[in-house]
Amino acid sequence: MADLLSTKPYKGTRDFYPPEMRSREWMFSVMSKTAESYGFERYDAPLLEPIDIYLAKTSEEIVKQQIYAFTDRGERRVAIRPEMTPTVARLVAARAKETPRPIRWYSIPNLWRYEQPGKGRLREHWQLNCDIFGAQNEFLADAEILQLAVSLLRSYGADSRHFRLFLSHRELLNAVFAKLLNLPNEKFAPVARIMDKKAKISVDEYRALLHAEGLDDRAVAVLDSFLQDGITFLDKNSHLAGAQYILSMIKFCRELGLADYIEYDPSVVRGFDYYTGLVFEVFDRHPNNRRSLFGGGRYDNLTSAFIKEKINAVGFGMGDVTLEDFLRVHGLYKEFPRKTEIYVALFDEEDIRLAALKLAGELRSYGFSVETALSSGKLGKQFEEAGKKEIPLVLVLGSDELAAGQVQVKDMRTGEQTRLPLNHLADKLRQLVAEKTNIPE
Ligand code: HAM
């Protein structure tokens, strides 16, 4: 006999059985509701894109190491989307003239990256993308995106004890490199990478790496001050590009009531080449899960890969994997019972069975979720099945009940049995079902 195939999903991906799917739908519905409460509209697009849209401008790591790509039968180079940002820029560019601005769009696509799977990192994940294109006042658009990012986690019941949003500005880092450290352009990326590693290596190693990139002791001291002194450094160097922006944004966020949630952090860089202004990253504050939850920023040049017009844009991507870890570690993750509300038992006699099946159909038309037994075995077995499936109400329509114009209702949660008249049954059942709590919307 041939070897049996594995039932495991492909490496770095997840199967979603109904219980996980119910929680996932809840997570997604909170995303949609929150985004829509800010006037965002949902869009979607194909999983496959011509690879060129990623080659123009994205993260080098993604294009060189993480993209799933192939040549199709028509010799086209195709990629499975590793992120949604180039796609949404394509969509906006295609309807740039006719779409009223500012454009506020969101999506919840599945994305693929060839990663080494680990905590919070998989090969397939779903990512809420919220982006604003073409705002006249870019500062207000940035602030709205930050506000929405905070609102999202708050919609799951989280507050400032659980997370923090750290922001910075791409131009500030560039100005520090160019004006204060006198670094040539080609040194920006390697020095940023060393900064990124700082927390994970010893002070001596950190200094040695910076020296190797040509930074002398004075430059290292300036960099230290930039990283450590926070707002004080900005106040002293407010002439630098991006510095005024950060000072104003922090002040504005405070006025919006977000002081407990939003801070300036010079070490926020973000991995994509397309960011041009604001960059931010949301971090979990739990000691067991101190990691980045999601991030985003301003990118003003992406539409110009498709059309002549540059349309300014700002947005973020929030992944479902990191979100689920966050919700679990803080006790905010929710699980839900099955949605079926009513189980209709069946008898062998054909006319009675037919009457029960018709009753089931009628109740469905009233909006109930109704399962029927797919057997007409012993009633006890049917009750057992309904019990195992945690269906709250079982209806029995036998010949006696039918003759009396009634139906027997067993509440599986309490064991109580009652007879209800078939007239106005839906209203009575609605009351009974309402006692069932925790159904995801
Ligand atoms: P990103 O930082 O690559 O940004 O991804 C955003 C979020 O998606 C991450 O913070 C994380 O929650 C989740 N994520 C990314 N990769 C994985 C993975 N391999 N496994 C699990 N979760 C993952 C972007 O993708 C930008 N395009 C976001 C954006 C939208 N910027 C502006 N608009």
Side-chain angles (χ1 to χ4, degrees), residues 121-388:
R121 293 263 131 204
L122 292 177
R123 291 191 172 170
E124 184 189 40
H125 75 283
W126 273 255
Q127 194 189 82
L128 168 69
N129 277 253
C130 295
D131 295 272
I132 305 178
F133 284 81
Q136 274 205 351
N137 185 328
E138 296 175 21
F139 185 85
L140 283 182
D142 289 1
E144 182 171 298
I145 280 291
L146 297 174
Q147 203 183 359
L148 171 56
V150 171
S151 291
L152 265 166
L153 293 186
R154 285 177 52 96
S155 305
Y156 293 98
D159 59 39
S160 59
R161 290 168 301 170
H162 306 117
F163 70 95
R164 230 9 136 257
L165 187 155
F166 296 105
L167 61 80
S168 188
H169 197 286
R170 267 290 165 86
E171 283 177 9
L172 175 68
L173 189 64
N174 291 343
V176 170
F177 285 169
K179 300 245 164 68
L180 300 186
L181 306 182
N182 297 320
L183 285 180
N185 267 353
E186 68 273 14
K187 292 284 179 197
F188 287 15
V191 173
R193 271 197 291 276
I194 299 168
M195 283 167 55
D196 201 39
K197 263 199 261 178
K198 189 177 180 216
K200 296 174 206 138
I201 56 181
S202 72
V203 179
D204 289 345
E205 209 178 328
Y206 170 69
R207 278 167 205 276
L209 286 171
L210 289 178
H211 284 146
E213 295 297 340
L215 275 77
D216 57 18
D217 286 344
R218 184 205 66 88
V220 173
V222 172
L223 197 57
D224 282 349
S225 158
F226 169 59
L227 289 176
Q228 284 156 23
D229 300 347
I231 293 283
T232 321
F233 179 92
L234 293 185
D235 282 332
K236 276 194 213 142
N237 294 279
S238 57
H239 61 285
L240 291 177
Q244 274 304 341
Y245 170 94
I246 293 171
L247 292 169
S248 313
M249 184 56 83
I250 291 290
K251 183 165 170 276
F252 192 61
C253 288
R254 201 177 305 138
E255 284 159 5
L256 281 175
L258 300 173
D260 291 344
Y261 290 96
I262 294 180
E263 284 174 33
Y264 159 60
D265 182 344
S267 66
V268 173
V269 179
R270 302 269 310 144
F272 294 94
D273 299 338
Y274 50 62
Y275 291 119
T276 49
L278 166 75
V279 277
F280 70 93
E281 201 90 48
V282 177
F283 274 80
D284 195 338
R285 300 190 74 202
H286 196 282
N288 299 340
N289 196 42
R290 278 199 188 279
R291 60 194 329 277
S292 165
L293 292 171
F294 65 99
R298 169 160 290 281
Y299 52 101
D300 289 339
N301 303 325
L302 270 194
T303 53
S304 54
F306 306 97
I307 51 172
K308 287 217 179 82
E309 191 190 359
K310 267 189 192 177
I311 304 177
N312 75 74
V314 60
F316 63 81
M318 177 173 83
D320 65 332
V321 185
T322 42
L323 175 65
E324 183 178 326
D325 287 347
F326 170 77
L327 296 175
R328 282 188 188 279
V329 82
H330 293 290
L332 299 169
Y333 187 74
K334 284 194 190 166
E335 284 166 5
F336 300 90
R338 300 174 77 246
K339 282 188 180 168
T340 310
E341 298 159 317
I342 294 168
Y343 182 98
V344 175
L346 292 186
F347 289 98
D348 277 332
E349 295 85 338
E350 239 170 59
D351 52 338
I352 301 174
R353 188 164 65 192
L354 205 57
L357 288 172
K358 280 188 180 158
L359 175 66
E362 208 174 307
L363 292 175
R364 286 184 193 117
S365 73
Y366 277 102
F368 291 102
S369 163
V370 185
E371 274 186 43
T372 59
L374 290 184
S375 72
S376 33
K378 292 206 177 79
L379 258 193
K381 277 243 180 297
Q382 299 189 39
F383 279 119
E384 207 178 292
E385 182 192 325
K388 278 191 194 150

